[in-house]
Amino acid sequence: MCWSAGADLLVGSAVSAVGVATVLHARTRSQLPLAALPLLLGVHQLVEAGVWSGWAWARTVWVVIALPLLPVYVPAAVWCATGRRSAAWFTVLGAAVAVPLAVALARHPVSAHPHGHTLDYAIGVPAAALLLAGYLAATVGSLLCSGDHRLRRLGAVLGAGALVCGLLWRLAFVSTWCALAAVASVLLYDWARHTRANSAPPQRR
């Protein structure tokens, strides 16, 4: 979520480019889902440019990615990349969060209205505070418990960044979620690059 359609297009294009590079650095198939996360985040930003223009399909696609998909995708991708049992439990938690979010999305039309330098999405999600806590636990928690110091760093950045971005969004001052997505994408690129370098066979001299 950016502060304007132009910012969404610019940041979305840049994050998508980082996503392509990250996918190309993935060493194994098990790393591909996590390596593809920046690409998903970039597409998410590009779609929101359509939300600013009032396109109904863009609102629906944006919310599907943001709400039911990401709380399952992130821990599942960490699980694939690391094989950690904790990530499997976080995936179950993410699925438990995603189900009521998907039901709410199916029952209620998605609306989005400019509010200050942000977009205010309305879906009618029940027990929003509880679901938000589960959402953050599934996504951030899976990274913090990944056993990989670069992914733990990503989890710490996302946790702190979510608090800051959420506060700024609540104040309708400016939406900075796209900046957080950009930082996360660069950190994931760094993870993929180092993972590939560390798993490469030694060169013969």
Side-chain angles (χ1 to χ4, degrees):
M1 185 188 302
C2 269
W3 52 88
S4 69
D8 268 315
L9 287 173
L10 180 62
V11 176
S13 298
V15 172
S16 297
V18 174
V20 172
T22 305
V23 167
L24 293 177
H25 275 84
R27 181 69 177 176
T28 64
R29 289 183 179 179
S30 62
Q31 294 174 350
L32 278 176
L34 191 54
L37 180 56
L39 187 57
L40 176 62
L41 295 177
V43 171
H44 197 217
Q45 297 301 324
L46 293 174
V47 167
E48 195 180 52
V51 178
W52 284 100
S53 299
W55 299 344
W57 69 266
R59 291 196 300 269
T60 301
V61 171
W62 191 93
V63 173
V64 166
I65 295 174
L67 296 186
L69 179 59
L70 283 178
V72 179
Y73 185 96
V74 173
V78 174
W79 185 15
C80 288
T82 65
R84 301 278 289 193
R85 184 176 298 179
S86 60
W89 288 111
F90 281 119
T91 303
V92 173
L93 174 61
V97 171
V99 169
L101 292 175
V103 171
L105 179 58
R107 290 181 175 177
H108 304 286
V110 179
S111 64
H113 306 285
H115 180 53
H117 296 288
T118 70
L119 282 173
D120 188 9
Y121 291 88
I123 306 167
V125 176
L130 180 61
L131 291 177
L132 176 60
Y135 188 114
L136 291 175
T139 52
V140 176
S142 62
L143 292 165
L144 292 176
C145 299
S146 65
D148 183 297
H149 74 278
R150 286 187 172 81
L151 294 181
R152 288 198 301 267
R153 178 181 62 183
L154 172 62
V157 169
L158 287 178
L163 292 176
V164 173
C165 291
L167 177 61
L168 292 174
W169 177 75
R170 281 288 182 183
L171 295 173
F173 174 66
V174 66
S175 180
T176 52
W177 294 102
C178 58
L180 183 58
V183 172
S185 298
V186 171
L187 292 176
L188 278 170
Y189 173 78
D190 180 66
W191 163 78
R193 184 170 61 88
H194 280 85
T195 301
R196 183 180 181 90
N198 292 337
S199 61
Q203 295 181 351
R204 294 182 179 179
R205 295 184 179 180

